[in-house]
Amino acid sequence: MATKWGIFSAGKISNDFVVALQTLPAQDHQIVGLAARDFNRAKEFAQSHGILKVYNSYEELASDPDIDVIYIGAIHPVHKNLGLMCMEKGKNVLCEKPLAMNLAEVKELISAARNHNVFLMEAFWSRFFPVYEQIRSLLNQKALGEVKVVQAEFGVNLLHIPRAVDKELGGGALLDIGCYCVQFALMAFSGEKPESITARGYLHETGVDETVTIILQYSGKRQAILTSTLVTQMPNRAVICGTKGMVQIPSFMWSPTTIIVNGEETKYPLPPTTKHLNFWNSTGLSYEAEHVRQCLLKGLKESPVMSLAESELLASIMEEVHIQLGIYKNKT
Ligand SMILES: NC(=O)c1ccc[n+]([C@@H]2O[C@H](COP(=O)([O-])OP(=O)(O)OC[C@H]3O[C@@H](n4cnc5c(N)ncnc54)[C@H](OP(=O)(O)O)[C@@H]3O)[C@@H](O)[C@H]2O)c1
């Protein structure tokens, strides 16, 4: 039976997620309908993607018994309230990254998922690319030896996008893009909590971080160095260096199609589409959608690959970075 998706928001990432879903077999994934704040925009979006049902509100979609799982493609300041509303109605949720604005909100979402016994996952699509699967396999086999140094960078010029620098709308390099580097480090260190977190960076005139470098330090002289910026394009690579080997992602570290293991390169072509995409390599969102389907088929309430514990750890690291940079004064 097909997994029946409901889509929240008619924005940029929702476009790409819908296109990606439509690259998958129709007998496995069905888009039942879409809701957005504005009905006419929702209708226009739905028509352009051949989606048959448009709801008058997010609530109406979340109340539809025909829907198995809701994809939240809205901006992060509204993730918490939308997520809570879906889960209160008994719906499974795949929510765009970052899961919420701060640690307290993330904890609220996680406890709601547990209370309502529904599936919840933060949509770190990177984790489901074949390149990331291969990295996890190398880590599980200890093929790289002990991981000693991890580096990751995500830099693109986003200063022209109002949302990216607006604090109220969840702007800032870390929340928008740097979170990909943090999740990479967490995966490389198998979800371990760092012993110390050090952040240095520069704020934009709006008070959000425009460039930030984070050092996560772990016991046994292991560390991750992570940089993100909204100001300029970076090579956008990632690397894991262990005592027995090295794995590199040349670019883009968040949606990679190439991996280099000890100098040997392998390429993984993306699912093709002729439709318009807003973001690089977005048909790779289909890997994450298929993972959610597999979790639901197994009756899982969280992903073993992007667990809720990791979402919570990630939010706690980001909160500490925000405090060190002076963006927020206190822990939530
Ligand atoms: N996985 C990825 O590769 C990826 C890439 C980009 C973004 N993202 C994440 O996806 C989310 C959306 O990003 P986007 O680039 O798609 O953003 P977007 O197009 O600017 O906005 C997405 C939707 O958010 C809602 N929205 C916008 N402004 C709002 C406001 N002031 N109050 C309430 N709702 C508002 C709207 O929903 P309606 O349509 O319902 O009005 C809008 O369509 C973010 O959390 C972002 O971090 C993920």
Side-chain angles (χ1 to χ4, degrees):
M1 248 193 6
T3 300
K4 294 179 176 177
W5 292 88
I7 310 291
F8 273 8
S9 288
K12 291 196 279 295
I13 192 64
S14 289
N15 173 84
D16 291 13
F17 188 74
V18 163
V19 171
L21 273 179
Q22 290 172 338
T23 66
L24 292 165
Q27 69 267 23
D28 291 347
H29 294 269
Q30 184 193 342
I31 303 172
V32 174
L34 173 111
R37 288 175 303 168
D38 180 282
F39 182 78
N40 288 327
R41 271 191 58 241
K43 211 165 132 188
E44 211 175 289
F45 181 104
Q47 272 168 0
S48 71
H49 291 283
I51 298 172
L52 297 180
K53 203 162 178 183
V54 178
Y55 299 83
N56 287 303
S57 65
Y58 293 132
E59 286 83 354
E60 194 180 288
L61 184 156
S63 305
D64 185 341
D66 200 30
I67 285 176
D68 298 322
V69 52
I70 295 174
Y71 169 77
I72 299 180
I75 57 170
H76 26 291
V78 295
H79 286 177
K80 188 196 83 171
N81 286 345
L82 292 180
L84 291 178
M85 188 267 288
C86 294
M87 293 190 283
E88 274 158 21
K89 291 180 184 294
K91 288 291 187 262
N92 300 303
V93 171
L94 172 64
C95 180
E96 261 312 329
K97 43 57 59 179
L99 189 52
M101 292 287 279
N102 55 47
L103 179 59
E105 289 190 359
V106 166
K107 283 182 172 170
E108 212 177 321
L109 283 165
I110 292 173
S111 71
R114 295 196 170 129
N115 289 341
H116 297 289
N117 198 30
V118 293
F119 177 87
L120 172 67
M121 190 181 96
E122 183 172 18
F124 270 113
W125 62 315
S126 320
R127 289 270 171 118
F128 310 99
F129 276 67
V131 164
Y132 273 60
E133 279 185 5
Q134 197 186 333
I135 292 174
R136 280 195 301 279
S137 162
L138 291 166
L139 292 170
N140 289 339
Q141 293 163 32
K142 306 252 178 274
L144 305 175
E146 188 189 14
V147 173
K148 285 291 193 186
V149 178
V150 173
Q151 287 184 337
E153 59 207 17
F154 193 154
V156 275
N157 185 346
L158 295 178
L159 292 178
H160 57 285
I161 296 180
R163 170 177 85 68
V165 290
D166 187 324
K167 199 169 174 179
E168 296 301 311
L169 297 182
L174 183 59
L175 281 180
D176 212 41
I177 55 179
C179 54
Y180 282 102
C181 299
V182 182
Q183 70 75 33
F184 184 78
L186 293 188
M187 185 179 82
F189 288 118
S190 307
E192 194 178 325
K193 189 176 174 193
E195 282 188 335
S196 76
I197 300 164
T198 310
R200 286 284 185 280
Y202 295 101
L203 301 191
H204 192 63
E205 62 207 25
T206 57
V208 302
D209 50 316
E210 59 173 47
T211 296
V212 58
T213 294
I214 304 165
I215 301 179
L216 303 178
Q217 290 188 300
Y218 292 83
S219 62
K221 300 182 183 173
R222 298 168 296 144
Q223 68 182 32
I225 306 103
L226 316 169
T227 298
S228 64
T229 180
L230 300 174
V231 179
T232 186
Q233 181 82 22
M234 292 183 75
N236 294 323
R237 296 167 299 207
V239 58
I240 301 175
C241 306
T243 49
K244 287 192 196 154
M246 177 169 71
V247 54
Q248 292 170 269
I249 301 177
S251 187
F252 311 107
M253 60 74 56
W254 61 92
S255 57
T257 53
T258 305
I259 186 172
I260 304 171
V261 182
N262 296 327
E264 194 176 319
E265 184 175 291
T266 310
K267 286 189 184 294
Y268 295 94
L270 287 162
T273 185
T274 52
K275 299 209 177 129
H276 167 76
L277 293 169
N278 292 306
F279 302 105
W280 293 314
N281 295 351
S282 273
T283 54
L285 287 159
S286 57
Y287 305 129
E288 151 186 273
E290 179 56 23
H291 175 76
V292 171
R293 170 175 164 76
Q294 293 305 324
C295 288
L296 295 180
L297 287 174
K298 290 180 193 141
L300 301 180
K301 303 303 170 193
E302 65 177 292
S303 160
V305 175
M306 186 64 224
S307 71
L308 295 175
E310 265 193 274
S311 287
E312 189 172 326
L313 177 56
L314 190 131
S316 73
I317 292 170
M318 294 207 293
E319 184 155 296
E320 173 61 25
V321 171
H322 280 144
I323 289 170
Q324 288 188 22
L325 294 184
I327 296 168
Y328 294 103
K329 286 203 166 46
N330 301 307
K331 288 188 190 289
T332 55

